[in-house]
Amino acid sequence: MTIAQSAPAPLDVDAIRQEFPILHQDVRGKPLVYLDNAATTQKPLAVIDRLTEYYTTINANVHRGVHTLSQKATDAFESAREAVRSYLNAADDREVIFVRGTSEAINLVAHGYGRSRLEPGDEIIISAMEHHSNIVPWQMVCEETGAKLRVIPMTDSGELLLEEYARLLTPRTRLVSVVYVSNSLGTVNPVREITAMAHQAGALVMLDGAQAVQHLPVDVQELGCDFFAFSGHKLYGPTGIGVLWGRQEALEEMAPYQGGGEMIRTVTFEKTTYNDLPHRFEAGTPDIAGVVALEAALEWVSAVGLDRIAAHEADLVEYATTSLSFNRRVQLIGEAKERSSVVSFVMEAAHPHDIGTILDSEGIAVRTGHHCTQPVMDRLGIAATARASFAVYNTRDEVDALVSGVNKVAEVLG
Amino acid sequence: MDLRELYQDVILDHNRNPQNFGKPDASNRQADGHNPLCGDKITVYLTVEGDRVVDLHFDGVGCAISTASASLMTESLKGRSIGQIEELFEVFHQLVMGNADVMFDGPDLGKLVAFQGVSEYPMRVKCATLCWHTLNAAIESKQDTVTTE
Ligand SMILES: Cc1ncc(COP(=O)(O)O)c(C=O)c1O
């Protein structure tokens, strides 16, 4: 569990909930209890209003026109880039590349770095608890280049085996890509150590921060990684926008990913020269409104305070794990010492899909399935789990609703 | 909609005590089915004589809906001709898709009518139909894994 060091002032969750219009509705006749935040979080008015404001006042294409609106749109767009830089404490805003989300960020590195640099016999290391989006792009690039994929194994409780990782690191290792916080188990991985070990072996490091940025303060310079990816929609921002951060030298070594407008300097039919960072990796008209609203999300999270959010969520996780463990049919999945806001579980004689439907009938939204981490399920010998994942606006009352919903599962299925 | 309309007693009974469950000693056709969305896996084993399916069994792991569906399917189809089975599947499919009116001019679904409630839960339709798709594959003896995706 990640608990902030000095106890921050508690959150006024009621006031926060007022900022999320979607939470105030009934689902199947019961007040909505939204516990699928690891899939995507809900959006505060600050974000929704920024989207509206953008479209109602400054919409224009960026980096292209001399007219006033285009200038305003470009300023707003670049201001968001600076906001992301500051949020990640990156050294330079040219290191911030806007993409659609974590998946696209990983694909960008897999293609941009992998295709131009990998050779047969080279190795990429990922871990046993990766999301499919940090597995498949590497498999694709390995297939194309003849490089090999290696996997850091994990324990039954969901912790990576660092001694095994040390053995996997060799002079052939080119890149290590691991998840910072696991979406199916909640494990917070020791990414500083993982990064330092990779660098000692001369390999680059990519971190999948999709489940990290909304729960923990991230400082990419302090982490020491070379690439970091996250999705706006899991951080109270809009869907369709995400970030790849890369250390400047690492980005400069990569081949362009997609070709098109924005990413070029000059084009003739004989030859094209590419634009500088970050535009080289941003072909085409970007999701300008999404980028602008992402800045609103970052501002909102920073104003609430990540330390307070983390303390609140840690309390909910603790409360949920304790409350659920009174139900003898419930078995928690993922019991790493360092955990973030995910509680995954299975139940005796109840398939997660049935759990999900029964909870839904109580207005409770949880995720059921393999959570895009099939290898985790295979490793643990289960088909699927039910997963409750928490955000800043969740309450202990909602945990109580979850627990009584779970108790009802046995009643319904008999 | 009441949860009881989805989880009817017949369905719960068959989930708790699935019929024709486990790999039989003898069979002459089989196929695997997989629903990658929820991880459900099923194998259907058939004994086909001429154009009649004289015996059906299944094993695998799945939710209450998919387990009960497979159990009731194997129970309901024993001894039927392949033509009749195809007809029943069509009617069953319409039932779980919410087109209940077709039931009146198709063959009698018998106990399979219990799955009518599934139509209110579009995400669960595949749970109810995975075994049927797998059965089809077994009849045609396509040996590849069937998926509902
Ligand atoms: C750990 C992790 N990595 C990657 C992703 C993919 O993110 P996106 O779908 O936003 O590209 C997710 C979210 O589903 C995730 O939880």
Side-chain angles (χ1 to χ4, degrees):
Chain A
M1 215 112 345
T2 313
I3 301 184
Q5 267 110 33
S6 58
L11 290 174
D12 182 350
V13 178
D14 282 343
I16 284 175
R17 292 180 69 82
Q18 289 309 315
E19 297 186 52
F20 289 83
I22 201 172
L23 297 177
H24 308 282
Q25 64 174 296
D26 287 351
V27 165
R28 296 201 187 260
K30 305 275 171 59
L32 168 65
V33 174
Y34 186 78
L35 300 177
D36 193 16
N37 296 288
T40 197
T41 57
Q42 300 303 345
K43 323 303 174 198
L45 279 170
V47 169
I48 300 168
D49 290 347
R50 190 72 63 91
L51 279 170
T52 310
E53 184 193 305
Y54 171 78
Y55 280 125
T56 47
T57 60
I58 60 171
N59 175 55
N61 213 327
V62 290
H63 304 133
R64 294 188 188 179
V66 294
H67 62 80
T68 306
L69 283 190
S70 175
Q71 189 54 49
K72 281 189 178 169
T74 304
D75 289 349
F77 188 79
E78 291 305 322
S79 151
R81 199 189 303 279
E82 165 55 24
V84 172
R85 184 212 62 74
S86 156
Y87 195 80
L88 299 178
N89 193 35
D92 194 314
D93 63 4
R94 287 171 303 168
E95 298 179 331
V96 173
I97 318 280
F98 288 116
V99 291
R100 281 190 297 138
T102 307
S103 305
E104 190 175 36
I106 297 171
N107 276 281
L108 197 162
V109 176
H111 283 248
Y113 173 81
R115 275 167 142 187
S116 59
R117 307 235 135 213
L118 289 177
E119 288 173 9
D122 285 349
E123 295 183 355
I124 303 282
I125 298 180
I126 60 173
S127 89
M129 61 176 86
E130 297 312 319
H131 189 278
H132 294 164
S133 64
N134 198 25
I135 301 174
V136 183
W138 302 112
Q139 282 174 333
M140 288 163 66
V141 78
C142 282
E143 200 149 293
E144 264 180 58
T145 60
K148 286 206 174 64
L149 200 58
R150 300 272 181 241
V151 182
I152 310 170
M154 70 175 189
T155 64
D156 288 343
S157 62
E159 291 176 326
L160 293 182
L161 288 161
L162 292 190
E163 320 82 71
E164 298 292 327
Y165 169 50
R167 268 195 280 282
L168 291 176
L169 283 165
T170 71
R172 290 187 300 275
T173 313
R174 290 284 161 267
L175 192 143
V176 176
S177 188
V178 292
V179 67
Y180 192 163
V181 177
S182 153
N183 64 308
S184 52
L185 302 169
T187 308
V188 180
N189 284 313
V191 290
R192 287 171 192 78
E193 205 174 337
I194 289 171
T195 301
M197 288 164 74
H199 282 171
Q200 234 159 37
L204 292 172
V205 176
M206 167 144 211
L207 297 180
D208 170 352
Q211 301 292 344
V213 285
Q214 63 279 53
H215 305 301
L216 323 163
V218 168
D219 177 334
V220 288
Q221 298 189 74
E222 185 258 328
L223 290 174
C225 56
D226 302 283
F227 301 103
F228 188 96
F230 74 87
S231 303
H233 69 94
K234 295 179 197 279
L235 173 69
Y236 309 101
T239 53
I241 192 66
V243 167
L244 169 67
W245 167 83
R247 224 172 16 85
Q248 188 175 337
E249 307 83 78
L251 287 176
E252 268 163 2
E253 285 186 23
M254 296 201 316
Y257 174 50
Q258 293 177 335
E262 202 89 38
M263 57 80 69
I264 45 82
R265 191 192 315 281
T266 60
V267 177
T268 65
F269 286 117
E270 289 70 43
K271 185 169 171 57
T272 293
T273 57
Y274 300 123
N275 206 338
D276 295 329
L277 292 176
H279 308 292
R280 185 194 307 173
F281 295 109
E282 293 179 351
T285 300
D287 180 357
I288 308 167
V291 167
V292 170
L294 176 62
E295 176 169 9
L298 298 179
E299 284 167 356
W300 188 85
V301 169
S302 304
V304 177
L306 265 178
D307 52 347
R308 297 205 300 165
I309 295 174
H312 175 66
E313 291 170 343
D315 174 67
L316 294 176
V317 170
E318 175 94 51
Y319 185 59
T321 39
T322 312
S323 310
L324 283 173
S325 59
F326 288 121
N327 185 325
R328 280 200 283 114
R329 287 186 172 208
V330 171
Q331 187 200 338
L332 296 173
I333 301 294
E335 299 189 274
K337 282 195 282 302
E338 292 292 327
R339 295 221 342 261
S340 183
S341 317
V342 165
V343 177
S344 241
F345 60 97
V346 293
M347 290 179 79
E348 192 186 303
H351 188 281
H353 237 158
D354 296 314
I355 301 173
T357 295
I358 294 166
L359 290 178
D360 181 61
S361 76
E362 299 290 305
I364 304 165
V366 296
R367 176 91 181 264
T368 56
H370 52 60
H371 319 295
C372 297
T373 56
Q374 273 186 37
V376 171
M377 302 297 126
D378 293 346
R379 164 67 183 78
L380 300 176
I382 50 182
T385 77
R387 177 189 74 183
S389 54
F390 301 102
V392 59
Y393 40 68
N394 291 125
T395 65
R396 280 191 173 216
D397 286 347
E398 291 182 309
V399 175
D400 290 339
L402 169 71
V403 173
S404 54
V406 166
N407 293 339
K408 200 179 158 197
V409 170
E411 234 171 82
V412 173
L413 295 182
Chain B
M1 148 126 195
D2 193 310
L3 217 44
R4 281 278 160 220
E5 288 178 40
L6 176 65
Y7 293 111
Q8 297 195 14
D9 286 336
V10 211
I11 292 181
L12 294 174
D13 288 346
H14 277 261
N15 177 47
R16 276 192 298 264
N17 299 304
Q19 304 300 299
N20 306 306
F21 186 78
K23 186 178 192 322
D25 294 334
S27 65
N28 56 20
R29 297 193 197 176
Q30 72 179 66
D32 297 327
H34 183 206
N35 182 349
L37 199 69
C38 54
D40 285 1
K41 285 190 178 129
I42 185 178
T43 305
V44 171
Y45 307 92
L46 305 179
T47 305
V48 179
E49 285 172 10
D51 80 331
R52 229 155 257 287
V53 177
V54 297
D55 206 6
L56 304 84
H57 294 261
F58 78 101
D59 63 14
V61 284
C63 62
I65 303 298
S66 80
T67 303
S69 182
S71 174
L72 278 155
M73 176 188 83
T74 53
E75 200 180 77
S76 313
L77 300 186
K78 218 165 267 194
R80 300 214 190 216
S81 73
I82 288 170
Q84 286 172 324
I85 289 175
E86 276 165 4
E87 253 174 54
L88 262 178
F89 183 19
E90 178 55 29
V91 179
F92 181 77
H93 199 246
Q94 296 297 336
L95 174 82
V96 294
M97 295 297 286
N99 307 325
D101 32 324
V102 299
M103 285 166 50
F104 297 108
D105 32 76
D108 184 10
L109 281 170
K111 285 188 194 172
L112 296 172
V113 168
F115 291 95
Q116 185 159 18
V118 172
S119 64
E120 296 290 321
Y121 296 82
M123 299 294 285
R124 306 300 300 273
V125 168
K126 287 172 179 172
C127 308
T129 55
L130 176 64
C131 59
W132 288 85
H133 287 292
T134 311
L135 168 73
N136 257 351
I139 288 173
E140 290 164 26
S141 255
K142 281 190 229 139
Q143 289 301 338
D144 289 346
T145 297
V146 177
T147 81
T148 55
E149 289 305 283

